[in-house]
Amino acid sequence: MTGFVFHPGHDEWHGQTVLVYTKGARVVAGRWDAVNGGVLLMRDAAVHEEPATRAGWVAEIKQYGIPVAHRTFELPHAEVERVVRLRDA
């Protein structure tokens, strides 16, 4: 599905439920909205900051869903190391 844009005018991640791994310990799960002015905006997000329990946390949200803690969440795009669809994690 490379190159598919969920909504015209947005990037290919728009509307996708993803895991965003940062250059630090933080992982954010939620729906990718947009990158504007160097800031990634996510919707219905949860944040995990413990590297030792990361794999278990990911497995739990894949099974039970994202425990939404932030209706909107902003993250400097420069902190993003990699992005994967939650279903592919």
Side-chain angles (χ1 to χ4, degrees), residues 37-85:
V39 175
L40 166 59
L41 176 62
M42 295 184 70
R43 305 287 182 183
D44 300 328
V47 180
H48 186 75
E49 302 201 39
E50 275 299 319
T53 59
R54 178 185 293 173
W57 184 76
V58 170
E60 189 172 304
I61 64 171
K62 282 183 72 171
Q63 183 172 3
Y64 299 111
I66 298 170
V68 175
H70 307 277
R71 289 290 169 201
T72 59
F73 186 81
E74 294 183 348
L75 177 72
H77 193 250
E79 288 184 22
V80 174
E81 182 175 275
R82 68 185 173 107
V83 180
V84 296
R85 286 178 182 83

Side-chain angles (χ1 to χ4, degrees), residues 10-44:
H10 294 278
D11 62 43
E12 68 180 282
W13 289 110
H14 176 74
Q16 300 290 320
T17 301
V18 298
L19 291 172
V20 176
Y21 293 87
T22 67
K23 294 176 182 172
R26 185 184 319 179
V27 179
V28 182
R31 200 171 62 253
W32 182 290
D33 190 3
V35 177
N36 291 316
V39 175
L40 166 59
L41 176 62
M42 295 184 70
R43 305 287 182 183
D44 300 328

